[in-house]
Amino acid sequence: KRMKIKKLLPQEIYFNLFELNPMEQETKKLLEKGLTKKEIARILCLNKESIRMYEWRIKRKQDLLKMEHKWKSEKFIKVHEER
């Protein structure tokens, strides 16, 4: 049986798993505008590797959100099938 992430972690850590920090938010906005990692690095005064790390963390957090949504959907379907 799967353990829920929310039950395993303190609340403040749980929400930080899904929320983007300010640098991740800014990076995401610029990526969505179609800028390259090199351009974003120049704008944010960071190196390209930092932008790659932020991009990876953004994708990871979005994947966690999808997984959490899937678990909730599966639970909802199971509850309604039992009725």
Side-chain angles (χ1 to χ4, degrees):
K1 205 170 187 181
R2 273 189 238 163
M3 292 291 293
K4 289 187 178 183
I5 295 172
K6 195 172 188 174
K7 288 184 179 180
L8 296 173
L9 298 170
Q11 188 172 10
E12 63 276 1
I13 294 174
Y14 172 77
F15 287 111
N16 286 336
L17 284 175
F18 301 107
E19 291 179 6
L20 299 179
N21 68 40
M23 287 302 289
E24 292 166 346
Q25 291 173 9
E26 192 62 31
T27 301
K28 183 180 178 192
K29 285 180 198 173
L30 296 171
L31 284 167
E32 288 172 346
K33 288 182 179 181
L35 276 65
T36 65
K37 290 176 186 73
K38 187 175 182 178
E39 293 168 329
I40 295 169
R42 199 173 314 135
I43 291 168
L44 298 178
C45 300
L46 298 169
N47 63 40
K48 208 162 85 173
E49 292 304 312
S50 295
I51 301 305
R52 284 185 190 174
M53 180 193 64
Y54 286 131
E55 182 182 33
W56 178 82
R57 286 168 42 182
I58 291 165
K59 288 179 182 177
R60 185 170 154 246
K61 288 179 181 185
Q62 289 175 338
D63 287 345
L64 284 173
L65 274 173
K66 287 177 190 173
M67 285 176 23
E68 180 71 8
H69 178 72
K70 182 181 173 191
W71 293 340
K72 286 179 181 177
S73 297
E74 288 173 356
K75 183 179 179 183
F76 177 79
I77 291 168
K78 186 178 178 182
V79 167
H80 286 284
E81 286 175 349
E82 292 174 353
R83 288 183 178 178

